Amino acid sequence: MSNRPIAQLPGAARMLCLSRRSGELCTRRAGHAGLHNRTGSSILWSDIDADAPRCPASGSAAVPAPRLPDGYPNGRALCGVCFAFVTLDDGALSAHDSWRGDESREEADRRRAWMNTHGW
């Protein structure tokens, strides 16, 4: 597994294990055997100790994020806990799993442009 940022890895969201512990993402390959690990740290955990996939900010009050000229992020709000762009239900973040990387290279590029324009 490379130590490059998730967005630089081709198909990284599909290649990485989805387990988290205290918000830290396991950086081992999906389907690995043994304990989960965050590369570059001493953090190790088992499935029993893992966070639930649902982001704890689901249902929190939020407002749509500012848009880029092309409309991105299309009325979604930026979750302050997992930093996913999430749809809104009556002014609250809809139920969502914690962000684990962009689904495509295009989404990663648009997300990077938004972050460089508006910051977090």
Side-chain angles (χ1 to χ4, degrees), residues 62-68 70-78 85-89 92-93 114:
V63 296
R67 295 176 185 236
L68 292 177
D70 68 358
Y72 185 85
N74 308 317
R76 296 177 292 171
L78 183 64
F85 284 111
V86 181
T87 58
L88 295 170
D89 291 329
L93 297 173
W114 189 94

Side-chain angles (χ1 to χ4, degrees), residues 9 13 20 23 28 33 39 44 55 58 64 66 72 77 95 97-98 105 108:
L9 297 171
R20 288 180 181 259
R28 297 185 71 191
T39 300
L44 296 170
C55 178
S58 296
Y72 185 85
D97 286 348
S98 294
R105 176 81 256 155

Side-chain angles (χ1 to χ4, degrees), residues 42-105:
S42 60
I43 301 171
L44 296 170
W45 67 94
S46 69
D47 288 338
I48 294 170
D49 300 318
D51 296 345
R54 175 77 31 103
C55 178
S58 296
S60 299
V63 296
R67 295 176 185 236
L68 292 177
D70 68 358
Y72 185 85
N74 308 317
R76 296 177 292 171
L78 183 64
C79 176
V81 172
C82 72
F83 298 106
F85 284 111
V86 181
T87 58
L88 295 170
D89 291 329
D90 297 322
L93 297 173
S94 62
H96 64 282
D97 286 348
S98 294
W99 183 77
R100 290 180 168 87
D102 297 301
E103 295 178 13
S104 68
R105 176 81 256 155

